[in-house]
């Protein structure tokens, strides 16, 4: 490149491995399904039908889809936790749980630059930035709450295999199904709000950073400035080289 | 049990006979009870045996903050023997509502049972115990409810908490719970407590619990919340005869619509059957005549903890805490969604203002690259 000063040298980095991408889109799909069916179960539409009850099974199917999706959601979630230990460094659990001072420093940086819109110089991490990672940590907690409350509600109505019965203790902890159901419903709203903000921020980062944020969850690639590597700033949980 | 003391009291069969019931009635009753308890056919003999040979179980039945609907339900349970023998003659050695004695005599009777059958008697409690203001909200014979409970619990073999009041506080424990109405299991330590919630509990269920204790000499199997599994392991929804309409997606939209006439599911008019563990759908009420859903009204959830605060009677959704009683999670969620969308729009505008230089820089960079390719 002739004009080295104004044109960045970029490196192609394989950030999101295929299992992470599959996890991500599967998760997105089942969450949408769970939200849609969940709303229906909470407040079913008034069916305009002259058929006999024996000839339709609308709520039954919706519930069945909800339950199937919840199984996929749960095991997909388990897989992601596992991948946090065996995947690449951008997928590692340390991206989500602060283990160093740099993590907090970067969180503050992100807050300053992306929320307060102040100027900052530091380059952000390649995978999740520290703030995003930390918020994903809470998202995982919400996943956990949703799985526990959901399977807790499901345990007593399930017949057959042992897995849902593992959650039979849950209603007692919440003093019964009434409250459990409400907690399950409230947590769903967290998912909705999260999704809206998440999608917006992906566009935002692509827009102001030009690293291919949006497409990265498709092919796995991000395009990163050379000096990020020189300074060793690609993940927030490791100290920088400088 | 201590035989020397117990031999003096007659067995259930003797009581039945004295009351003028035939052996046939007696067997019918045993079979009925075995069925309610979910026992196998072969166990009917065990019930018969127990009730023929075992002496009556000494019972003390205390009443605190309650409306006596549990007692009412019990004495109206479908089989006359329940009322006549089990209650009248379970040797209810002390119960304010039904005993003949009163005043000092009654207190005397209770004292006697407590000393004579120490470690043997079953303590039945109806009602919650107010603990606020040193317990002045419910006092009997100069003692607070808590004192009476503690004294009686001391020598009890087990405690049965009748109804929602004793099991979870019921209406008097609803917010703001001015008297600090407290359920029994929170006050008594070191004694098994069987919760038989419901407002009231079904009479047959109550009789079943007692027959189980008499027959097997131990408490029935309890679930995670301390309720007998035989009666509380299924939701009303699981045994509801309107369930096919629920699964079909056919609901009553309002109580006066065509769907109500057709007997569709009451889910959308607030039925709490899907979160309520009780035997109403099977055992029903008033000698098996009907139960609320059969009569066209949704389940209240009367046997669930906190049912007064946890839901609205005619709606599925309940209030979202901290946002007033009219709010629901969905209303709050929609507002939050609107606020979020607004904040993001503002953020997008600010991005274009504050990061103009950065964005222009990126664009310039891109254009330069493009130019280079053309050259
Ligand atoms: S009426 Fe109530 S308990 Fe019966 S199926 Fe409908 S929601 Fe369930
Ligand atoms: S149907 Fe529901 S509210 Fe009615 S008695 Fe049964 S549990 Fe209680």
């Amino acid at each position: 490149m002739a004009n080295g000063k104004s044109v960045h040298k970029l490196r192609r980095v394989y950030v999101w491995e295929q299992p992470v991408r599959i996890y991500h889109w599967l998760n997105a799909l089942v969450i949408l399904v769970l939200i849609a069916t969940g709303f229906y179960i909470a407040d079913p539409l008034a069916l305009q039908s002259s058929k006999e009850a024996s000839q339709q099974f609308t709520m039954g199917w919706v519930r069945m889809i909800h339950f199937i999706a919840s199984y996929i959601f749960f095991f997909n979630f388990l897989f992601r936790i596992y991948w946090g230990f065996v995947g690449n460094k951008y997928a590692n659990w340390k991206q989500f749980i602060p283990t160093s001072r740099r993590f907090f420093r970067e969180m503050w940086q992100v807050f300053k630059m992306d929320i307060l819109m102040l100027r900052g110089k530091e380059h952000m991490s390649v995978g999740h930035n520290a703030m995003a990672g930390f918020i994903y940590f809470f998202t995982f907690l919400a996943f956990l709450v949703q799985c526990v409350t959901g399977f807790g509600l499901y345990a007593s109505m399930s017949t057959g295999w042992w897995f849902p019965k593992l959650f039979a203790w849950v209603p007692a902890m919440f003093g019964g199904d009434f409250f459990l159901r409400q907690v399950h419903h409230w947590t769903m709203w967290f998912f909705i709000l999260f999704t809206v903000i998440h999608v917006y921020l992906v566009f935002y980062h692509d827009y102001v950073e030009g690293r291919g944020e949006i497409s990265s969850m498709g092919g796995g690639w991000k395009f990163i400035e050379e000096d990020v590597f020189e300074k060793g700033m690609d993940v927030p949980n490791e100290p920088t080289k400088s | 049990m201590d035989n020397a003391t117990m031999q003096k009291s007659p067995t259930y069969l003797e009581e039945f006979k004295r009351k003028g019931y035939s052996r046939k009635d007696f067997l019918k009753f045993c079979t009925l009870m075995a069925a309610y308890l979910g026992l196998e056919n072969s166990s009917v003999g065990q019930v018969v045996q127990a009730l023929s040979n075992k002496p009556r179980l000494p019972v003390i039945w205390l009443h605190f903050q309650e409306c006596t609907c549990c007692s009412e339900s019990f004495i109206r349970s479908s089989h006359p023997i329940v009322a006549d023998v089990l209650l009248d003659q379970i040797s209810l050695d002390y119960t304010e509502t039904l005993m003949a004695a009163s005043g000092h005599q009654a207190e005397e009777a209770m004292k006697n049972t407590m000393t004579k059958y120490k470690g043997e008697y079953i303590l039945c409690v109806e009602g919650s115990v107010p603990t606020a203001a040193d317990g002045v909200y419910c006092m009997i014979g100069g003692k607070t409810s808590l004192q009476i409970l503690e004294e009686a619990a001391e020598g009890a073999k087990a405690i049965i908490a009748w109804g929602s009041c004793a099991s979870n506080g019921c209406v008097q424990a609803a917010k703001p719970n001015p008297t600090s109405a407290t359920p029994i299991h929170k006050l008594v330590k070191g004694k098994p407590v069987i919760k038989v919630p419901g407002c009231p509990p079904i009479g047959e269920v109550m009789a079943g619990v007692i027959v189980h204790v008499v027959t097997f000499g131990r408490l029935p199997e309890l679930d995670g919340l301390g309720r007998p599994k035989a009666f509380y392991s299924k939701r009303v929804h699981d045994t509801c005869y309107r369930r096919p309409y629920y699964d079909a997606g056919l609901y009553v939209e309002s109580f006066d619509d065509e769907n109500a006439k057709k007997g569709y599911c009451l889910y959308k008019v607030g039925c709490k059957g899907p979160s309520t563990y009780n035997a109403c759908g099977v055992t029903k009420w008033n000698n098996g005549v009907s139960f609320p859903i059969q009569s066209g009204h949704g389940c209240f959830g009367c046997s669930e903890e906190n049912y007064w605060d946890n839901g609205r009677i005619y709606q599925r959704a309940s209030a979202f805490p901290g946002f007033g009683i009219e709010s629901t999670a969905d209303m709050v969620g929609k507002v939050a969604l609107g606020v979020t969308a607004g904040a993001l729009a503002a953020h997008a505008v600010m991005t274009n203002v504050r990061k103009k230089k950065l964005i222009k820089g990126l664009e310039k960079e891109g254009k330069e690259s493009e130019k280079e390719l053309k050259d």
Side-chain angles (χ1 to χ4, degrees), chain B residues 235-247 251 264-268 270-274 291 293 297-299 316:
Chain B
R235 303 170 306 161
V236 172
H237 187 59
D238 295 324
T239 49
C240 177
Y241 78 104
R242 295 196 188 209
R243 181 62 187 268
Y245 290 112
Y246 171 88
D247 287 330
Y251 305 101
Y264 285 0
C265 165
L266 298 158
Y267 187 70
K268 286 179 83 175
C271 180
K272 302 296 183 296
F291 73 116
I293 292 165
H297 193 288
C299 165
R316 294 276 331 148

Side-chain angles (χ1 to χ4, degrees), chain A residues 3 6 8 41 44 46 57-60 63 113-114 117 156 177 181-182 185-186 189 200 204 207-208, chain B residues 243 246-248 251 253 267-268 277 310 316 318 320 329-330 347-348 351-352 354-355 358 362 365 368:
Chain A
N3 201 341
S6 59
H8 281 106
I41 295 167
F57 195 57
T58 313
M59 179 57 108
R63 274 163 39 101
M113 286 172 59
D114 294 337
M117 296 284 179
S156 71
D177 284 9
R181 227 183 142 101
Q182 290 177 44
H185 195 94
W186 299 339
W189 274 102
Y200 169 79
Y204 164 82
Y207 186 50
V208 300
Chain B
R243 181 62 187 268
Y246 171 88
D247 287 330
Y251 305 101
E253 302 291 332
Y267 187 70
K268 286 179 83 175
Y277 292 78
N310 258 343
R316 294 276 331 148
S318 37
F320 190 72
D330 288 344
H347 189 269
T351 304
N352 283 303
R354 302 280 304 177
K355 299 211 186 270
L358 184 80
L362 284 174
E365 192 180 320
E368 265 171 48

